[in-house]
Amino acid sequence: ADTSIKRLDFGTWKLVTRCDYISAIELLKESQNRGINFFDTSDNYPAAESWIGRGIKEGELDRDKMVIATKVGLPTTKYENFMSDTSSERIRQQVDKSRKILGVDIIDLYQIHVHDPNTRVDNILMTMSDLIEKKKIRHYGFSNYDYVELGVALEFCKKIGTIPPVSLQNMYNIAQLGKDAIDAIKLARENDMSILAHSPLGRGFLIEKNILAENKKEFVSEKIKEPFRKLNEYAKSKGQNIQQLSLAWLLSQKNTIPVIGAYKTEYLKEAIDSLLVRIDKETEEKINEARKEFLDNTLDIGYAVVNQIMLED
């Protein structure tokens, strides 16, 4: 199997909420035909795991051209009464379930979906190392870990000499300016981890129609969107839009792979087209200006509020 990652990661969370199997498999096939080979799912959205498994089994998807990532730690049914569970027992139980549902012997990247305060990190690390040695997974990573949580995990890795994680999947986009978010990504890079940038368009905030639309929430000042409206105008002058500029900026960052949540063919095409967008010096300056202005404009309302207004497209 070809396990070298191309530049985009196809995230399947939105497929579960927006598609049925027929439309989902068409998108997955189209993305594979267009050169995407990295597919990200989770046991927390089991329909997506089973759709990928069915697609492979029925020959719609070529497993040999796929790098498959899935996750563990969140409830998989509404009857499971916990916030997060990454105990060794849970991980071992779920890895076998996911392998069976996906129809694969080995999962290429197995990710801890969220931090679990009730499980010691050394137990997670030793469990993941054991799964690698047993050839049930190739690599492991963390998702939605903050700076402190990731720091503790990496320290333990060195202390007990276990196999280190290869990736951090966190929210990351041009409107993501919170210090902790940036510090966690910086720490991951310093440890040669790949950054899988989920919500690369800020959960819809950085989509042209949403940037141009009037705010629907009274507590949100118009000036929050203003820097990105100007950036969108700049993108338009170059025959692009803010989505493509946002994805291209992430692609230009060190060790960064955007996780695209395309659930329509046109969104997929737009994301792939962003691979052709070059971030030259002028464009980088315009993006940095927008980010600085956005940060200045949000100081009076607090960054937590900005996170709340990131829309669901």
Side-chain angles (χ1 to χ4, degrees):
D2 178 10
T3 55
S4 59
I5 305 294
K6 305 299 190 284
R7 299 304 315 280
L8 294 171
D9 179 357
F10 190 105
T12 56
W13 175 66
K14 279 196 175 173
L15 293 187
V16 177
T17 57
R18 305 297 178 115
C19 299
D20 56 14
Y21 174 72
I22 302 296
S23 54
I25 205 69
E26 284 306 313
L27 272 167
L28 291 166
K29 273 166 63 179
E30 178 67 14
S31 61
Q32 195 165 51
N33 291 340
R34 297 286 296 269
I36 293 175
N37 71 338
F38 194 13
F39 297 88
D40 187 274
T41 187
S42 169
D43 64 4
N44 175 245
Y45 18 105
E49 276 193 338
S50 64
W51 289 348
I52 289 172
R54 182 177 162 186
I56 292 169
K57 187 180 177 183
E58 295 179 359
E60 300 274 16
L61 300 172
D62 184 349
R63 168 60 177 134
D64 288 340
K65 293 179 180 171
M66 294 176 82
V67 176
I68 297 174
T70 192
K71 307 182 197 77
V72 63
L74 288 176
T76 57
T77 73
K78 62 183 178 184
Y79 305 108
E80 289 181 324
N81 188 24
F82 60 82
M83 295 289 285
S84 59
D85 182 356
T86 59
S87 62
S88 183
E89 296 77 19
R90 177 74 181 182
I91 293 171
R92 291 179 192 282
Q93 171 196 331
Q94 291 304 113
V95 76
D96 287 335
K97 272 192 183 176
S98 289
R99 285 165 63 234
K100 188 176 179 183
I101 292 166
L102 288 161
V104 300
D105 293 327
I106 188 163
I107 292 166
D108 299 307
L109 175 64
Y110 202 45
Q111 300 162 96
I112 299 294
H113 207 148
V114 288
H115 179 254
D116 169 13
N118 300 313
T119 300
R120 284 176 44 154
V121 73
D122 53 339
N123 289 345
I124 295 170
L125 299 170
M126 288 188 289
T127 303
M128 290 304 213
S129 289
D130 186 52
L131 294 179
I132 291 171
E133 283 162 17
K134 288 193 163 94
K135 295 191 163 39
K136 291 188 176 185
I137 66 174
R138 286 188 211 283
H139 305 284
Y140 77 96
F142 294 109
S143 179
N144 302 306
Y145 265 48
D146 67 23
Y147 175 73
V148 172
E149 291 157 1
L150 181 62
V152 169
L154 291 171
E155 274 304 307
F156 261 101
C157 255
K158 289 169 190 160
K159 191 174 174 182
I160 59 179
T162 56
I163 299 166
V166 299
S167 61
L168 174 69
Q169 182 169 161
N170 276 14
M171 184 193 276
Y172 185 32
N173 54 64
I174 59 173
Q176 186 78 355
L177 293 159
K179 186 178 185 306
D180 188 79
I182 298 302
D183 284 351
I185 285 160
K186 191 177 168 194
L187 179 62
R189 283 202 182 112
E190 285 167 359
N191 285 272
D192 296 321
M193 296 168 72
S194 293
I195 310 301
L196 306 181
H198 81 66
S199 311
L201 301 178
R203 294 181 179 156
F205 179 63
L206 295 164
I207 288 175
E208 184 177 25
K209 67 177 183 183
N210 291 338
I211 283 291
L212 298 178
E214 284 185 38
N215 286 315
K216 293 173 186 162
K217 299 186 181 178
E218 290 173 19
F219 64 84
V220 178
S221 157
E222 277 295 309
K223 65 182 183 179
I224 283 176
K225 287 185 177 179
E226 194 52 42
F228 297 117
R229 285 179 177 157
K230 285 188 268 189
L231 191 59
N232 187 58
E233 281 302 307
Y234 172 74
K236 299 294 272 187
S237 75
K238 300 188 79 173
Q240 298 150 9
N241 60 30
I242 192 161
Q243 297 94 285
Q244 291 171 313
L245 212 58
S246 299
L247 289 172
W249 179 81
L250 283 169
L251 287 160
S252 74
Q253 303 302 300
K254 186 185 173 190
N255 292 8
T256 301
I257 301 166
V259 182
I260 56 166
Y263 58 90
K264 289 182 181 176
T265 311
E266 60 262 38
Y267 295 167
L268 177 63
K269 183 182 181 305
E270 197 165 68
I272 290 169
D273 286 348
S274 70
L275 293 167
L276 304 173
V277 175
R278 292 284 164 263
I279 302 292
D280 56 25
K281 196 173 179 191
E282 181 192 36
T283 306
E284 194 167 355
E285 281 170 7
K286 294 283 183 189
I287 290 170
N288 288 339
E289 278 170 25
R291 296 182 87 214
K292 185 182 184 309
E293 189 183 338
F294 177 67
L295 186 61
D296 292 344
N297 289 351
T298 55
L299 287 176
D300 57 341
I301 62 161
Y303 194 77
V305 179
V306 179
N307 271 338
Q308 287 173 34
I309 67 161
M310 287 185 171
L311 313 166
E312 275 303 340
D313 167 37

